[in-house]
Amino acid sequence: MEHDQEVLSAQGVESTQGAGSVLPEGSASLRENALEMPKARESSPAAAKKSEVSGKKEKAGHGTLKLGIAMMLLSAVCGSTGQLVWKVAPDTGVPLLLYLVGVLLYGVGAVLMMTAFRYGEMSILHPMLSAGYVIGLFYGAVFLKEEITWQAVVGTLLIMIGMFFLGRSGKSEEGQS
Amino acid sequence: MNAAIEGILIIVMAISGSLGALFFKLATDRLPEGQILTLLRIPQLYIGLLFYAVNFITNIVLLWYMPFTIVYPITALSYICTLLISRIVLKEPINREKVLAIMSIAAGVVVLSL
């Protein structure tokens, strides 16, 4: 265990090159997983020097970025739904149960968010979490009967336009490489 | 509260949010396919969680002293930090589309809180 950790941290930033090739002898469980990796590695052809820096995951295609974006959006849904559940919990017959559901949703959202980073650039995936602001507003209007102001409409539009172009920026980079 | 301390807290909040994301990215990049539990053995995960805790605490402290409508849009500052950190540490490309997109998102969050 200790040995694994050492090697893992020694990999440093290069880790994105593919776990399969740099795994230590001692890590049986990790090595097993490495056997599943070749699929992904084959799909990135005799990779250009550039890809060593940005990591093979992005090279694997726009499909993985889409998965990452989908996971981020789902994470935002989980987070906002968790907050909504916490907000309404005291007004229901089963507040404790609902607080627990909220915590669970938050946890699932957190794991989704962390895992999503694997499937693309951080600069594209991290801002996608701002979908949470929009979903929160939507929930406020639909479930809590909060008023929809013009600021909410304009702000939501700006955020959604931004998210759209962020997704596109990933696509255009791929076209260049 | 002192304006200088507020300023420092705001910067710490923005940067810790991005650093948290950075370490989650570093952690999950070395995650073998379909082995999510292995994540628990990757030290970067815990560094990421630590930064998120700092982010959470500074957020709460700021809310004690400043109105929600001011603190809320500041959270969007994290995305701008993320753009810079991803460029410096991960060498991710910055293009015009990406910059405009993040500006638009940040502006949207500010407008929301008006």
Side-chain angles (χ1 to χ4, degrees):
Chain A
M1 178 74 186
E2 255 175 19
H3 177 61
D4 291 1
Q5 302 255 338
E6 243 168 57
V7 181
L8 277 175
S9 30
Q11 280 170 241
V13 189
E14 295 162 7
S15 64
T16 48
Q17 283 180 30
S21 56
V22 281
L23 282 167
E25 290 295 310
S27 62
S29 68
L30 283 176
R31 229 172 337 135
E32 267 170 41
N33 304 326
L35 294 177
E36 299 162 18
M37 298 292 283
K39 241 189 306 164
R41 243 184 307 162
E42 278 161 23
S43 66
S44 65
K49 283 276 169 245
K50 235 174 82 187
S51 70
E52 287 180 20
V53 192
S54 51
K56 78 173 188 313
K57 267 298 153 195
E58 284 99 85
K59 295 294 165 292
H62 195 58
T64 51
L65 177 62
K66 270 187 188 153
L67 175 64
I69 292 175
M71 287 170 80
M72 276 296 179
L73 296 182
L74 198 58
S75 165
V77 169
C78 286
S80 341
T81 311
Q83 277 192 0
L84 174 71
V85 168
W86 281 338
K87 171 88 179 163
V88 299
D91 309 322
T92 60
V94 282
L96 271 182
L97 179 74
L98 284 185
Y99 278 124
L100 208 69
V101 170
V103 170
L104 206 72
L105 280 167
Y106 241 73
V108 171
V111 173
L112 272 171
M113 181 263 286
M114 288 187 269
T115 324
F117 279 120
R118 171 190 175 79
Y119 297 104
E121 292 176 19
M122 176 173 101
S123 48
I124 293 178
L125 292 174
H126 191 214
M128 290 291 173
L129 285 176
S130 58
Y133 300 123
V134 176
I135 300 164
L137 259 146
F138 172 77
Y139 280 163
V142 173
F143 297 107
L144 309 173
K145 307 284 176 240
E146 286 170 2
E147 193 191 347
I148 302 178
T149 60
W150 68 265
Q151 295 98 318
V153 174
V154 174
T156 298
L157 277 175
L158 281 172
I159 291 175
M160 288 172 79
I161 290 170
M163 286 169 50
F164 173 75
F165 279 105
L166 208 53
R168 263 184 48 141
S169 79
K171 220 180 252 176
S172 59
E173 264 162 30
E174 202 173 79
Q176 285 159 19
S177 55
Chain B
M1 186 168 43
N2 190 319
I5 299 176
E6 278 180 4
I8 291 170
L9 282 178
I10 287 169
I11 292 168
V12 170
M13 180 174 87
I15 293 179
S16 60
S18 303
L19 285 178
L22 169 69
F23 279 95
F24 289 146
K25 167 109 182 109
L26 291 176
T28 51
D29 268 348
R30 56 179 53 182
L31 190 65
E33 196 71 53
Q35 289 290 313
I36 200 160
L37 283 180
T38 314
L39 193 58
L40 296 174
R41 287 173 56 184
I42 301 176
Q44 276 81 350
L45 172 77
Y46 299 98
I47 304 175
L49 286 174
L50 200 73
F51 277 118
Y52 255 59
V54 170
N55 180 259
F56 186 68
I57 291 165
T58 44
N59 198 334
I60 287 176
V61 172
L62 277 170
L63 280 172
W64 288 342
Y65 299 100
M66 296 168 80
F68 179 71
T69 49
I70 307 242
V71 177
Y72 186 68
I74 293 171
T75 55
L77 210 62
S78 249
Y79 301 137
I80 298 170
C81 286
T82 292
L83 189 65
L84 298 177
I85 289 177
S86 72
R87 173 85 192 111
I88 297 165
V89 181
L90 302 171
K91 313 277 186 255
E92 288 180 3
I94 293 186
N95 51 37
R96 201 193 306 163
E97 244 172 353
K98 215 183 254 183
V99 172
L100 286 176
I102 288 175
M103 292 303 214
S104 178
I105 289 175
V109 178
V110 171
V111 171
L112 275 188
S113 65
L114 286 180

